[in-house]
Amino acid sequence: MLPIIFVLPLLQLIILSNAATFEVKNIKFGYIDNDQSSTSRALIEKFNASTYFDVLTDFSSEAFSNAAMLKGEVDVVVEIPRYFERDLQKEKHINLGVTINAIDGAAAGVENVYITQIVQDFNQHLKVDLMQISDKQVQPINIETIPLFWYNETLNYKTFMVPGILVLLVTMITLFLSGMNIVREKEIGTLEQINVTPIKKSQFIIGKLFPFWVIGMGLLTIGLIIAKIIFDVPMVGSLALMYFYTSIYILVILGIGLFISNFTDTQQQAMFIAWFFMVIFILMSGLFTPIESMPKWAQIITEFNPIKYFVEVMRMVMLKGSGFMDILPQLLKTLLYALVMNGLAVWSYKKTT
Amino acid sequence: MNNDKVIQVESLTKMFGDFIAVNDITFDVNKGEIFGFLGANGAGKTTAMKMLIGISKPTFGKAHVAGFDVFTDAENIKKNIGYMSQKFALYDDLTVKENITFFGGIYGLSRKRIKEKANTLIEELGLGNVANQLVGSLPLGWKQKLSFSVSLIHDPKIVFLDEPTGGVDPITRRQFWELIYKAANQGTTIFVTTHYMDEAEYCDRVSIMVNGKIEALDTPKKLKEQFKAANMNDVFLKLARG
Ligand SMILES: Nc1ncnc2c1ncn2[C@@H]1O[C@H](COP(=O)(O)OP(=O)(O)OP(=O)(O)O)[C@@H](O)[C@H]1O
Ligand SMILES: [Mg+2]
């Protein structure tokens, strides 16, 4: 136990300090260039040169960019209007259409600031360029960005935080309940009484899982009602899909809890280990800090974070109205995870010592 | 395999690291017998019992319980035995009835059978008034009796009792032994550990364990003759002093 007390917090310190950054990086950037001029290309080049923006996708029309945004393939789309170059030279005021996926409101706000900075910087250079050519005083040219925040139009903090916090509540309570449970029975001795009965290991684990599964689903229900009534969070997608996903997700968490329970002798040990995973899962879930901004290795770790999938699915279904096919990748990974964790829980439960 | 011998143990040993908790014990228990398993604190009684009921793997040796090998057939043993642990191990936060129903269910009894069992048990133990009370609120003596009855719920061939009367008053102890006799009369083999030497006199045969080894095994009468002692307590003291 002693090494665990020291090693786990150190691991947390190292992993989390690196991974949990509030900087938004690797923003998936797309554009629609209706002008196809050297000036429009220069503007796009500016975005390309920025370290914050990644993967430049050239969309031929809004229809394509909209579809990509729904799938989450792109975070930001800048639409350059027709006659961009010509109007600039005529010193007209130009509106640049910017669409930002605001399912993660914090990141969306930061992304908007980055874009505005790049465009302003571009404005400055343009002025300088023009002055050099004509050598006469020109009116400041102004390209203004008109941001549109999708899925969360007013960047309402609660709209994107409430589904996430609901995820945390469901996860925390089911993990702690299940993590403490078998250990508690070890401590009070009832587990031994169970172990001298001919009960099958899988029966035992299912019997343990079921009540907590019901509690988890109950929590989700209460949480959704509160989200709707108190926070007025939109529920765009299908409730049935939400419940279906959650019913599988909770199995993952319970499997982890029971697994921890089987490996520990006291409730303190179990609590300690459950907390370790909980803190890592929460801070690396993309709930508070965007996963795209994490270093590559940290992103790989998040692949094993069930909370990440739940947060994604919750936000996708609740705010975007994503359907079954949209969340299929998350669903399959969660299902696999559930099978593995519960397999481990059954395996690690030993009736004989 | 001899059908009259429901427990057959040969050179059974359990080590925890370097420490030998049970050291090469060999004995048989006959069908229908009340077998007293005596020994001082830390002699290795509980450890030996846990190997016989299939929740602890022996380090070496052989043991058959109810005809099944403890190494390979522990789950079959569990179907045929009852066990009452040294530490009270029913659910304190369930009622008397709920505990009976729960364990009856685990042993695969039908609903009807569980109901019948619950009614007779509660009546026999005189727990009618507290049947719907949480077990945690009952006095220790009542808990122990309930625990014993629950260990018999599936009519096992053998029942293992680990200090069933530890910490209860003499009257309750007396009642407890009446329950034990009743079960024995119905053909259940009783394997019981105890610290009380007067209880040893109630057993058909007793073994006395000292530091992991069985130092004596016979009927109380013969042991008293052998050690020229007036009662089992003297036998025990003579053995323990070596
Ligand atoms: N899991 C374990 N690990 C290490 N040592 C153990 C373990 N279980 C028991 N022991 C040791 O084995 C010895 C025998 O213990 P056991 O519980 O079998 O004694 P006992 O005869 O049942 O005593 P009591 O009358 O106090 O119940 C003791 O010294 C105990 O400390
Ligand atoms: Mg003991």
Side-chain angles (χ1 to χ4, degrees):
Chain A
M1 202 51 199
L2 205 61
I4 296 179
I5 290 176
F6 288 102
V7 172
L8 295 192
L10 283 176
L11 268 179
Q12 275 172 340
L13 186 66
I14 296 163
I15 296 175
L16 298 177
S17 311
N18 276 297
T21 160
F22 283 95
E23 235 182 357
V24 183
K25 275 195 211 149
N26 309 330
I27 302 164
K28 285 173 266 171
F29 179 84
Y31 58 89
I32 306 165
D33 187 354
N34 293 318
D35 194 41
Q36 302 284 354
S37 63
S38 62
T39 315
S40 68
R41 275 191 289 273
L43 177 61
I44 289 157
E45 193 38 50
K46 267 248 174 242
F47 280 101
N48 202 5
S50 156
T51 51
Y52 295 115
F53 294 92
D54 229 29
V55 197
L56 290 157
T57 324
D58 184 358
F59 293 108
S60 50
S61 81
E62 221 173 310
F64 289 106
S65 69
N66 288 354
M69 190 162 287
L70 187 67
K71 284 194 202 132
E73 287 165 2
V74 65
D75 300 318
V76 167
V77 176
V78 169
E79 180 163 10
I80 300 172
R82 238 181 141 178
Y83 311 122
F84 177 69
E85 192 176 61
R86 192 192 73 192
D87 290 351
L88 262 183
Q89 275 153 9
K90 284 190 189 158
E91 296 160 25
K92 271 194 183 163
H93 182 101
I94 292 164
N95 288 340
L96 208 57
V98 176
T99 313
I100 299 172
N101 180 351
I103 246 192
D104 180 349
V110 177
E111 283 158 9
N112 186 35
V113 173
Y114 290 165
I115 295 166
T116 313
Q117 273 169 359
I118 287 178
V119 171
Q120 266 167 11
D121 192 42
F122 185 71
N123 268 337
Q124 291 297 324
H125 280 283
L126 214 58
K127 266 188 255 170
V128 176
D129 285 352
L130 287 172
M131 277 199 289
Q132 278 171 343
I133 294 163
S134 56
D135 215 7
K136 65 168 190 187
Q137 195 67 29
V138 286
Q139 303 247 309
I141 296 163
N142 218 345
I143 311 172
E144 197 189 341
T145 59
I146 311 279
L148 249 181
F149 295 105
W150 272 25
Y151 312 122
N152 183 4
E153 282 160 27
T154 53
L155 277 194
N156 185 339
Y157 175 76
K158 286 178 193 126
T159 303
F160 71 88
M161 282 315 284
V162 169
I165 290 177
L166 182 51
V167 164
L168 294 193
L169 285 182
V170 171
T171 310
M172 235 186 296
I173 293 185
T174 47
L175 180 68
F176 289 147
L177 282 179
S178 59
M180 298 305 112
N181 191 269
I182 295 179
V183 195
R184 180 165 168 272
E185 291 216 28
K186 269 187 212 170
E187 282 183 355
I188 58 180
T190 46
L191 188 66
E192 190 179 88
Q193 195 67 50
I194 297 281
N195 286 346
V196 293
T197 69
I199 193 171
K200 289 198 179 66
K201 283 166 55 162
S202 55
Q203 288 173 330
F204 175 79
I205 293 292
I206 291 169
K208 283 287 168 200
L209 282 174
F210 187 70
F212 300 125
W213 184 86
V214 173
I215 290 174
M217 296 305 272
L219 277 174
L220 176 75
T221 309
I222 297 168
L224 286 175
I225 293 171
I226 290 176
K228 185 79 220 159
I229 293 178
I230 299 183
F231 298 108
D232 196 29
V233 174
M235 184 73 221
V236 183
S238 146
L239 264 180
L241 187 60
M242 197 73 255
Y243 273 86
F244 177 61
Y245 177 81
T246 310
S247 67
I248 294 167
Y249 170 79
I250 295 176
L251 293 179
V252 177
I253 301 302
L254 293 177
I256 296 175
L258 296 182
F259 187 53
I260 293 175
S261 219
N262 282 335
F263 269 106
T264 44
D265 292 320
T266 64
Q267 294 189 61
Q268 279 100 321
Q269 289 175 3
M271 194 73 184
F272 193 82
I273 293 176
W275 260 116
F276 169 78
F277 283 106
M278 204 58 217
V279 170
I280 298 232
F281 282 168
I282 291 175
L283 291 180
M284 299 188 75
S285 64
L287 185 58
F288 299 108
T289 59
I291 288 169
E292 287 88 351
S293 313
M294 295 176 188
K296 197 82 212 146
W297 59 266
Q299 293 194 18
I300 292 169
I301 294 181
T302 66
E303 285 291 307
F304 297 96
N305 183 355
I307 295 190
K308 169 188 129 163
Y309 298 117
F310 196 15
V311 169
E312 280 175 10
V313 169
M314 197 80 159
R315 284 176 170 170
M316 282 167 81
V317 177
M318 273 180 90
L319 307 181
K320 274 195 203 177
S322 301
F324 181 79
M325 290 315 285
D326 301 314
I327 67 157
L328 193 62
Q330 281 91 343
L331 189 68
L332 289 177
K333 283 182 200 168
T334 308
L335 188 64
L336 182 69
Y337 213 149
L339 290 175
V340 171
M341 285 321 301
N342 288 291
L344 284 175
V346 172
W347 168 79
S348 63
Y349 164 50
K350 297 258 189 296
K351 288 182 77 179
T352 308
T353 53
Chain B
M1 173 136 334
N2 188 333
N3 276 335
D4 289 342
K5 301 215 183 308
V6 286
I7 302 176
Q8 292 176 299
V9 177
E10 209 185 309
S11 304
L12 198 66
T13 301
K14 178 80 180 189
M15 300 178 69
F16 297 110
D18 285 343
F19 176 70
I20 308 174
V22 173
N23 191 351
D24 192 19
I25 58 172
T26 301
F27 65 93
D28 295 326
V29 177
N30 300 319
K31 189 161 182 280
E33 184 170 47
I34 300 179
F35 189 86
F37 201 59
L38 314 192
N41 282 326
K45 305 181 297 290
T46 302
T47 308
M49 196 182 264
K50 284 186 180 173
M51 290 190 278
L52 298 181
I53 61 178
I55 58 173
S56 169
K57 277 251 184 297
T59 312
F60 27 77
K62 274 197 223 161
H64 282 82
V65 175
F68 299 104
D69 189 329
V70 294
F71 282 95
T72 55
D73 238 351
E75 293 307 298
N76 272 324
I77 291 177
K78 289 170 186 175
K79 284 181 196 153
N80 290 290
I81 60 157
Y83 170 61
M84 178 180 163
S85 135
Q86 182 170 358
K87 193 175 161 198
F88 178 74
L90 298 185
Y91 288 89
D92 273 337
D93 41 11
L94 294 182
T95 66
V96 171
K97 256 194 183 146
E98 286 166 344
N99 265 297
I100 296 173
T101 313
F102 177 71
F103 281 100
I106 287 195
Y107 282 107
L109 271 56
S110 70
R111 262 168 212 281
K112 189 166 151 267
R113 184 100 184 91
I114 291 174
K115 222 179 178 145
E116 285 167 12
K117 272 273 173 192
N119 289 338
T120 44
L121 276 185
I122 288 169
E123 198 182 312
E124 277 174 12
L125 298 179
L127 294 176
N129 291 329
V130 293
N132 291 314
Q133 266 185 35
L134 295 187
V135 162
S137 68
L138 301 181
L140 185 65
W142 295 18
K143 282 178 163 184
Q144 303 280 75
K145 282 193 259 173
L146 176 66
S147 176
F148 175 60
S149 305
V150 168
S151 72
L152 289 173
I153 195 158
H154 53 299
D155 302 316
K157 293 198 180 105
I158 312 161
V159 62
F160 290 84
L161 309 172
D162 197 356
E163 292 187 33
T165 54
V168 302
D169 61 84
I171 298 169
T172 316
R173 281 212 280 137
R174 196 53 204 242
Q175 292 170 341
F176 203 100
W177 273 90
E178 279 162 17
L179 291 175
I180 292 179
Y181 269 110
K182 199 169 153 219
N185 281 337
Q186 285 163 2
T188 313
T189 306
I190 314 278
F191 187 97
V192 57
T193 78
T194 179
H195 277 295
Y196 300 107
M197 287 308 136
D198 58 326
E199 292 183 357
E201 314 266 2
Y202 306 148
C203 300
D204 295 325
R205 284 194 306 150
V206 297
S207 76
I208 299 177
M209 226 178 153
V210 180
N211 294 332
K213 279 186 169 302
I214 290 182
E215 296 291 356
L217 196 169
D218 217 323
T219 61
K221 190 160 168 265
K222 287 205 177 132
L223 281 176
K224 281 183 278 188
E225 283 168 18
Q226 185 187 339
F227 288 88
K228 300 188 179 58
N231 54 39
M232 280 308 289
N233 203 27
D234 288 347
V235 172
F236 190 76
L237 287 175
K238 281 189 175 164
L239 257 178
R241 291 206 186 112

